């Protein structure tokens, strides 16, 4: 009779495990071989007397280029013509960082415009008051 628990690792709804070990174990999951999207890791453990435990861990793979869209949000209700800004950029590999295209350009938020206009209005008011007191 074994004195260690057995661990079986399944990916998504596969019937055959991708790996089986005796506990404890260190395991590296290579996500580069998976398609982008939602997946689940199912870990089944059997103790020495035969009882089973299951843990399911959902995760999402995103190895492909990241896609940023500005101008529409998910599940938005829209009408008319929508100006969209779309950027897609890859991450390179884990050793080299790609700087070109790695930042998505964004339009200036409206609160920045409000603060800028308020500051300019205050500066003009202050300048006008100062010049009217010192001719």
């Amino acid at each position: 009779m074994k004195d260690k628990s057995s661990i079986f690792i399944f990916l998504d709804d596969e019937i055959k495990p991708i790996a089986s070990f005796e506990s404890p174990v260190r395991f590296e999951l290579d996500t580069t071989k998976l398609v982008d999207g939602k997946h689940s890791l199912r870990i089944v453990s059997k103790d020495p007397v035969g009882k089973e435990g299951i843990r399911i861990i959902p995760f999402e793979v995103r190895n492909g280029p990241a896609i940023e869209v500005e101008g529409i949000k998910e599940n938005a209700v829209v009408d008319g013509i929508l100006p969209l800004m779309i950027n897609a950029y890859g991450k390179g590999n884990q050793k080299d960082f790609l700087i070109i295209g790695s930042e998505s350009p964004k339009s200036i938020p409206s609160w920045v415009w409000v603060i800028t206009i308020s500051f300019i209005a205050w500066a003009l008011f202050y300048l006008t008051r100062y010049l009217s007191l010192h001719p």
Side-chain angles (χ1 to χ4, degrees):
M1 182 179 211
K2 299 189 308 184
D3 59 346
K4 293 188 175 189
S5 294
S6 299
I7 297 173
F8 303 95
I9 301 173
F10 299 87
L11 187 61
D12 298 329
D13 295 326
E14 294 291 324
I15 297 171
K16 185 178 176 187
I18 59 171
S20 60
F21 307 99
E22 281 190 357
S23 134
V25 66
R26 288 188 174 267
F27 175 73
E28 291 183 356
L29 177 64
D30 185 5
T31 64
T32 60
K33 297 177 181 173
L34 301 176
V35 297
D36 283 4
K38 296 185 185 285
H39 296 276
S40 65
L41 196 63
R42 190 177 71 222
I43 302 166
V44 178
S45 174
K46 277 190 179 178
D47 68 6
V49 291
K51 291 185 181 178
E52 282 191 2
I54 297 175
R55 178 153 184 206
I56 298 173
I57 304 170
F59 64 98
E60 187 171 350
V61 173
R62 209 170 265 168
N63 289 323
I67 300 170
E68 293 285 332
V69 178
E70 185 176 331
I72 189 169
K73 298 207 185 287
E74 291 183 18
N75 303 316
V77 177
V78 297
D79 64 351
I81 298 171
L82 294 175
L84 301 177
M85 184 184 322
I86 302 170
N87 187 23
Y89 53 91
K91 297 173 227 149
N93 57 34
Q94 294 187 0
K95 294 180 183 171
D96 299 324
F97 176 71
L98 296 176
I99 192 76
I100 297 172
S102 64
E103 290 187 13
S104 292
K106 301 262 184 193
S107 59
I108 298 173
S110 57
W111 62 268
V112 172
W113 287 113
V114 170
I115 290 174
T116 303
I117 291 169
S118 299
F119 177 75
I120 291 171
W122 173 81
L124 289 174
F125 171 76
Y126 183 79
L127 183 63
T128 306
R129 294 275 312 219
Y130 178 78
L131 291 177
S132 68
L133 294 175
H134 298 88

